[in-house]
Structures are given as C-alpha cells and as structure tokens.
C-alpha cells in the first residue's frame, strides 16, 4: 500500500510551482485560497530545505525566479507567512556546497532581487521582514559589493532617517554591517565615492533625531579608526568644515552626543600632520577647548584611560603656537 502514499507526496518541483502559481493568484478573486496555498507550501519548503531535498528545491527556486516573486508579493502575505519567507531566504543563503554559496551566487547575478529587498523599507508592512533578509544578505561579500557598487546604496540614507523607529533602526543596522564587516570592500568604496558618501553621511550627523545622530557619530569613529581606512581618515580630518561640524556637535545638549563627538574630535587633535587651516581653527578656539576638555564627562574620575587621553589632548591644544 505504500505506493498510495508516495503518489500523494509533493516533489520539490511541485512545491515550488504551487507557491509560484498561488502567488500569481493572490491579488485576484480567489485570494483567500491562494494565501492559504502559499502559506502551506512555504512551510513545506522550509521542511524540505532542512533535509535531503534541499538541493533539488533550491535549484527549482532559482529556475523559476521564485525569490523575486516572493518579495514582490510579500505585502499580500499573512504575517506568519512573511516570517516564513524570511526564514526560507536565510536558510537558502546559508546553504553551502564546498566553498560556494549557490544562493549568494544567484543573487549576485540577479541584483534586481537584492534591490527589491532593499526597497522593502519603503513599505512599513514588510520593512522588518525585508530588513531581516537584507541583514543576512550583507554578511556575504559578493552581495555587499553589489550594494556598494550601485547607486541603490544611497537609499540607506533615506531609510535611516525614516520617522518610523523600527525602519530607521533596521536600515542602520544593515548599513553598519556593510561598512564594518567587509573592510577591504568598504575602503575601495569610500576611496571611489568619498565626496558623495560624506555629503550624505554628514546629513546623518546633523539629524534632529537623537538616535540617528549618536549612532552615526559612533559609526564614523569606527570607520575612521579602522587601520585600512587610514587614507580616508586623513582626507576627512584635513577638511576644515568637518572639524567645524564636529566641534558644533561637542556643544550638543546631550552628554552622550558630546562624548561620541569627542571620539571623532580627538582624531583631528592627535593628528601629528595637521594642515594649516585645521591648526588655525584649533588655535582660534584654544582657550575654550582646554576648558571644555577639562570638564568633559568630569564625573568619570574612575576612568583612568579616558582621563589620560583627555589630558594628552589638552596638552596638544595648549602647545599650539
């Protein structure tokens, strides 16, 4: 009797095609039935991807471009199904054959799918699901490179400044991962796109949103202090307008913003090869800066390293001739 049960068992090909067919019907008159079919078959895909059928079902997903269709139809899916779709993406991304990640290779070639995921931040209903998928995508250098090499990357600045906290937070998290996880890619990108990047980045530093401003200052310090980014750091700290901007942030009402700005400001001061315009700005504000640094976070008397660093910077400022 076992042949009766085998005849009812869905193959990976059946499952993928059932999802695809239901997705095409999901905005039509039988949307309820189509929604149920998508939900049921996506759950089945999850099961297959964890077993011996992972290879065949992955190949069928690539063959019919199901990933792109899933993202396009994500707003029409139920809440739990959206989470299942994100899970399917993440399982597929992690699938490895020898030294290859087939889904990473696929998405590198089908960049429109990767950009569709990024555009998901435009829709609050699916933004968090797309954020989950995108953060997993950014773990892989080929996909991070696709984003960095495209004008689409600059959409991050719009999303980071979203009025919706969850969207802003998710977008910043993916943005930070790209810029800090893949250091050589980031250096190449910043070298090539320096002016455009920092023109946009400075808008984050001057954001009226406290969280955006603080996170952006912290990330800026991390980028500039990364050893491989030394030429980028040198260029940044040689520009007088950058110093003026950071000095204004030292006066922010928030003590936390002041401290984050200080960690960028100290790079300007500690630079042994300051250009004349930078020296002039520091000299012009010499007395105020000495007082400011002396009083900065004075409650941290127990932080020996922080106070030693401040004293070192104060001595440099005092010695400016």
């Amino acid at each position: 009797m076992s042949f009766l049960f085998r005849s009812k068992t869905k193959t990976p090909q059946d499952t993928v095609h059932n999802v695809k067919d239901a997705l095409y019907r999901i905005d039509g008159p039988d949307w309820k039935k189509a929604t149920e079919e998508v939900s049921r078959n996506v759950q089945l895909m999850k099961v297959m991807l964890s077993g011996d059928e992972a290879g065949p079902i992955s190949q069928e997903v690539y063959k019919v471009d199901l990933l792109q269709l899933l993202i396009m139809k994500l707003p029409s899916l139920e809440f739990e199904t959206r989470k299942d779709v994100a899970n399917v993406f993440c399982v597929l991304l992690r699938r490895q054959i020898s030294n290859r990640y087939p889904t990473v290779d696929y998405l590198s070639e089908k960049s429109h799918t990767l950009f569709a995921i990024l555009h998901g931040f435009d829709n609050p209903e699916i933004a968090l699901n797309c954020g989950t998928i995108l953060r997993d995508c950014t773990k892989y250098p080929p996909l991070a490179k696709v984003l960095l090499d495209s004008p689409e990357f600059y959409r991050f600045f719009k999303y980071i400044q979203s009025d919706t906290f969850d969207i802003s937070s998710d977008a910043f998290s993916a943005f930070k991962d790209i810029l800090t996880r893949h250091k050589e890619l980031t250096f190449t990108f910043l070298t090539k796109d320096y002016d455009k990047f920092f023109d946009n980045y400075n808008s984050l530093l001057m954001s009226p949103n406290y969280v955006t401003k603080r996170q952006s200052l912290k990330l800026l310090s991390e980028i500039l202090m990364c050893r491989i980014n030394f030429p980028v750091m040198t260029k940044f700290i040689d520009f007088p307008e950058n110093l003026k901007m950071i000095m204004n942030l030292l006066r922010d009402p928030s003590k936390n913003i002041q401290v984050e700005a200080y960690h960028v400001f100290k790079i300007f001061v500690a630079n042994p090869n300051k250009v004349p315009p930078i020296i002039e700005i520091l000299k012009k504000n010499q007395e105020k800066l000495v007082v400011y640094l002396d009083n900065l976070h004075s409650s941290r008397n127990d932080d020996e390293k922080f106070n030693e660093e401040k004293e070192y910077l104060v001595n440099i400022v005092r010695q400016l001739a």
Side-chain angles (χ1 to χ4, degrees), residues 2 29 58 62 83 96 116 133 148 235 289 321:
S2 62
S58 299
Y62 309 146
K83 292 200 295 185
Q96 186 174 359
I133 298 169
L148 287 171
K235 189 170 183 178
L289 286 172

Side-chain angles (χ1 to χ4, degrees), residues 50-67:
S50 65
D52 294 337
E53 294 168 308
I57 198 166
S58 299
Q59 289 302 315
E60 199 64 27
V61 165
Y62 309 146
K63 182 179 176 181
V64 303
D65 280 336
L66 186 64
L67 297 182

Side-chain angles (χ1 to χ4, degrees), residues 128-274:
L128 298 188
N129 306 109
C130 288
T132 297
I133 298 169
L134 190 65
R135 286 198 306 277
D136 270 342
C137 288
T138 60
K139 294 175 183 177
Y140 302 92
L143 300 185
K145 186 176 188 304
V146 169
L147 288 166
L148 287 171
D149 286 347
S150 169
E152 295 285 335
F153 176 79
Y154 286 91
R155 282 179 171 265
F156 274 110
F157 293 98
K158 169 190 170 185
Y159 300 140
I160 289 169
Q161 298 185 78
S162 169
D163 292 333
T164 304
F165 175 78
D166 287 342
I167 293 176
S168 172
S169 179
D170 258 30
F172 189 87
S173 180
F175 177 77
K176 179 182 177 182
D177 281 351
I178 294 172
L179 293 173
T180 58
R181 192 187 291 270
H182 311 290
K183 293 179 172 53
E184 291 187 4
L185 287 177
T186 298
F187 170 68
T188 301
F189 164 71
L190 292 176
T191 302
K192 175 176 66 73
D193 241 18
Y194 178 93
D195 290 332
K196 184 176 181 180
F197 176 79
F198 280 107
D199 282 348
N200 282 273
Y201 199 91
N202 288 350
S203 68
L204 301 182
L205 298 176
M206 303 310 295
S207 170
N209 183 286
Y210 164 80
V211 175
T212 299
K213 188 186 296 186
R214 185 179 180 187
Q215 286 182 326
S216 301
L217 274 166
K218 193 168 187 176
L219 177 57
L220 175 62
S221 175
E222 190 173 344
I223 291 171
L224 296 180
M225 293 297 287
C226 180
R227 186 181 297 274
I228 196 172
N229 290 334
F230 182 79
V232 176
M233 179 198 74
T234 302
K235 189 170 183 178
F236 185 88
I237 63 175
D238 278 352
F239 189 52
E241 293 304 314
N242 289 336
L243 176 57
K244 292 176 184 177
M245 175 180 62
I246 297 301
M247 286 174 65
N248 282 331
L249 288 167
L250 288 173
R251 299 159 53 196
D252 192 274
S254 164
K255 294 293 185 183
N256 289 326
I257 297 292
Q258 289 180 26
V259 170
E260 297 298 348
Y262 159 79
H263 288 303
V264 179
F265 174 73
K266 69 186 182 185
I267 305 173
F268 287 90
V269 177
N271 177 19
N273 301 308
K274 302 178 191 66

Side-chain angles (χ1 to χ4, degrees), residues 68-80:
Q68 169 81 357
L69 187 58
L70 281 167
I71 294 299
M72 288 173 57
K73 297 295 185 179
L74 204 57
S76 301
L77 302 183
E78 294 179 338
F79 179 78
E80 289 300 323

